Amino acid sequence: MPLDQPRPAPGHGPESVLEAAGDCAFRIAPNGEIRAASQRTRRLLGAQLPLEGLPLTAFVHELDGAALRTAIVDANAAAEPVLARARLRCGDGFAAFELRIAVLGEGDGLLVIGRDMSAQLATEERLRHMATHDALTELPNRVLLSDRIRMVVANARRSGQGFAVATVGIDGFKKVNDGLGHTVGDAVLRQAATRLRRAMRDSDTLARVGGDEFVVILPGTATEAQIKLVTGRLLATLQSPFELEGHTIYLGASVGVALYPQHAEDDHGLLALADAALSRAKETGKGRALVYSAREQGPPQHDISLEAAMFSAVREGEFLLYYQPIVDARTRLIEGFETLMRWKHPTLGMVPPVRFIPIAETNGLINMLGAWALRSACAQLLQFEEAAKRELYISVNISPRQFRSDKFLDVLDEALTLSGMAGNKLVLEITEGTLMVDPQHAESILGKMAGRGARIAIDDFGTGYSSLAYLKRFPISVLKVDRAFVKDLPDAPKEAAICSAVLDMARHLDLSVVAEGVETEEQLDWLRQRDCRYIQGYLTGKPMPAHVALAALQDNHYTALLPPDRQGTTP
C-alpha cells in the first residue's frame, strides 16, 4: 500500500500494514522510538527483549545513526516519504537496508519500511570488480591501474617523492599458447601473477594490462639502486620454470621502467613510456630491465591525433620536399641532392620527421607519401639540371614498408616515365636493416631496381646489421657513412678507424662513399685527405626548399665557400 495514502480503515490499521510491508517494518514515534515492529522484523533482528520504547537507532550501525536521525526529522516535516540507507543489526552482523520513512497520520507517528539491499549491493560490487579487475588473474586492470597511478601522483606531488612505473612482459609467451594451447597459457599467466604479487611490497600495485604484460606501481622507488633491486627481483621471480600439466616451461621476462616526474607526470605518459622502454628491452636482447631514455627510444607512443592530422595533411597538401646538397669534397660543387620529407602543419608548424614517419610506416600512409616523393623528386631534378647547366643526381629514401610492397617497382617505373629522367640519375637509399629482414626478397627486387638503371645506396652504413656479405651479394653502388661516425672527427680514434676502414673497403669494391653530418672544416679536411669523394651536412648546406636549392645552383653559391687559393680550380 502506498505510504502517502489516507489512513487505513478499521481492521486494517498500522500493525496490519507492518506485517504485510517490506523485508522489515517499524512504526515509530516522531522522536524515533519504536512503537511496534513486524514479526519478520523481530526475527531478522534476533531481538529477545521487547523492541517497544527503544530508539530505532539502537539497531543500526553506529556510523549510520546520525544519518538516520536526520532522516527521521526530515520525514516528520515532509509531505513525501524520505529515503535513508542504514545497516541494520541482523544477529551477529549487519545488513544493508534502504529505509522508506513516511508520516502515517495525525498522532500515529511514522511508518518505516525497509528493503534488504544486500543482494543488490553484492551484485553492484561484483559488477564494479569486473569493470576494474582482470577476469583471469583477479588483478587490477588498466582502468583501476590508471586510477591508482593518479592517486600515487597526487601523493608524490604533496611529498615531493618520486616513484616508478614498471611494465613486465613475459618473454616467449607466444610459444606456450601456440604449442600447448590457451588453457596452459592462462595457467601460466595466473601463476606469473601470483609470483609477481609475492615479490612486491604491500604498498605496490600490480595490474595486468592485457596479453602477457603486467604493470607494477612502485611508490618511493626512484633511485638507480632502488630500481635495480626491484626490477632484479621481478625478473628473477619469472625465471624459475613453470610446472603445469606435466610440462616444464622456461620463459623469463623483460621490464621497462618510467619515472615520475623525470619522464612524465600523468598516468598516460608514464604507462606509454614504460611500455616504450619494455619494447626497447625486448628488441635489444630480452631478459633485461631498461629505464626509459628519450635519446635512445625517440617518440614513446603512436599519436592518434597526429595520425588523424596526417590524413588531413595529405588532402590539404601540407607535406613538402626539402633538398640537402651532396657536395664534391674537393671542389664543393653540388653533385646532387638528398630528398627529405617535411610536414608544415597549420598550427603545429614544422612537424619533425621522427614524429610522423614511424606513424606513416605503421598505418601504410608511407606508400602514398613515398610514391609522391619519388615522382616529385624525379621531376624536380630536371629543374635543378636546367638551373645548374650540368648533370646532377637525386637521392630518395625508400622506407621498409615501401621496399616490401609488391607495387614499388610500378611506382618506380611511373616516376621515371613521367619525368623522362634517366634511371642512372636516381639513387635509392635503403637501410641495412631493411635489406636483411628478407635477403632473398632484397636480392630479387634490388636486381630489378638496378636493371632500371637506378643506383642503390646503403643509408646509415655501420649502424645496422653491418653484414659485409651483402656488399658482394647485392648490386650496391653507394655507402652513406652515418653521422655518428663523423661527428667527433678528427679527434676520436675509434670513429676515425671505422671511417678509414669503410673508405678503404669502398675503394677496393669500387663503391662511392658519402659522409653524412659534416659540420666543420676539420671534418671535411680529414675526409678529403682520405679520398672521401662526397660529403653532406650543415657545413655545405642544410635541407632547403626547392626554390632555395635552385637559387644556390644558379648562383654557384657553394663553390664560393672554397678557400681563395682553390677557387680557380672549380669547374
Side-chain angles (χ1 to χ4, degrees), residues 466-513:
S466 298
S467 173
L468 299 182
Y470 68 68
L471 295 179
K472 175 183 177 182
R473 181 176 177 181
F474 300 151
I476 294 166
S477 303
V478 182
L479 300 181
K480 299 197 73 174
V481 180
D482 187 72
R483 66 188 66 250
F485 302 117
V486 174
K487 66 184 180 67
D488 294 323
L489 292 177
D491 300 322
K494 292 183 179 179
E495 284 79 353
I498 292 172
C499 287
S500 294
V502 171
L503 290 167
D504 188 55
M505 177 181 64
R507 187 162 48 251
H508 285 87
L509 294 175
D510 196 25
L511 301 175
S512 297
V513 177

Side-chain angles (χ1 to χ4, degrees), residues 173 199 248-249 262 295 409 458 499-500 520 563:
F173 179 72
T248 300
I249 304 169
Q262 295 95 311
R295 180 178 61 83
L409 291 174
I458 302 302
C499 287
S500 294
T520 68

Side-chain angles (χ1 to χ4, degrees), residues 399-415:
S399 81
R401 189 155 182 163
Q402 281 180 278
F403 188 71
R404 293 192 300 268
S405 172
D406 56 4
K407 301 292 185 183
F408 176 70
L409 291 174
D410 294 336
V411 170
L412 175 59
D413 288 338
E414 181 185 26

Side-chain angles (χ1 to χ4, degrees), residues 162-179:
F163 69 93
V165 173
T167 300
V168 182
I170 299 178
D171 294 335
F173 179 72
K174 186 175 185 295
K175 69 183 180 184
V176 179
N177 278 340
D178 291 348

Side-chain angles (χ1 to χ4, degrees), residues 164 166 199-201 204 216 218 221 224-236 255 289:
M200 293 163 45
R201 305 165 300 178
D204 299 334
V216 186
L218 301 162
T221 301
E224 182 178 350
Q226 290 171 327
I227 292 167
K228 187 174 182 179
L229 177 65
V230 174
T231 56
R233 194 162 63 238
L234 294 174
L235 291 173
V255 179

Side-chain angles (χ1 to χ4, degrees), residues 144-227:
L144 184 55
L145 173 68
S146 293
D147 185 63
R148 296 275 178 88
I149 294 178
R150 287 191 288 267
M151 291 174 58
V152 177
V153 166
N155 291 333
R157 284 174 178 163
R158 287 192 294 269
S159 66
Q161 186 178 38
F163 69 93
V165 173
T167 300
V168 182
I170 299 178
D171 294 335
F173 179 72
K174 186 175 185 295
K175 69 183 180 184
V176 179
N177 278 340
D178 291 348
L180 301 176
H182 288 275
T183 301
V184 176
D186 289 348
V188 168
L189 291 173
R190 282 192 292 268
Q191 193 173 126
T194 300
R195 291 187 186 183
L196 289 170
R197 193 185 292 114
R198 289 174 180 167
M200 293 163 45
R201 305 165 300 178
D202 291 340
S203 59
D204 299 334
T205 295
L206 174 66
R208 179 179 176 229
V209 294
D212 59 21
E213 289 190 9
F214 299 83
V215 173
V216 186
I217 309 173
L218 301 162
T221 301
T223 68
E224 182 178 350
Q226 290 171 327
I227 292 167

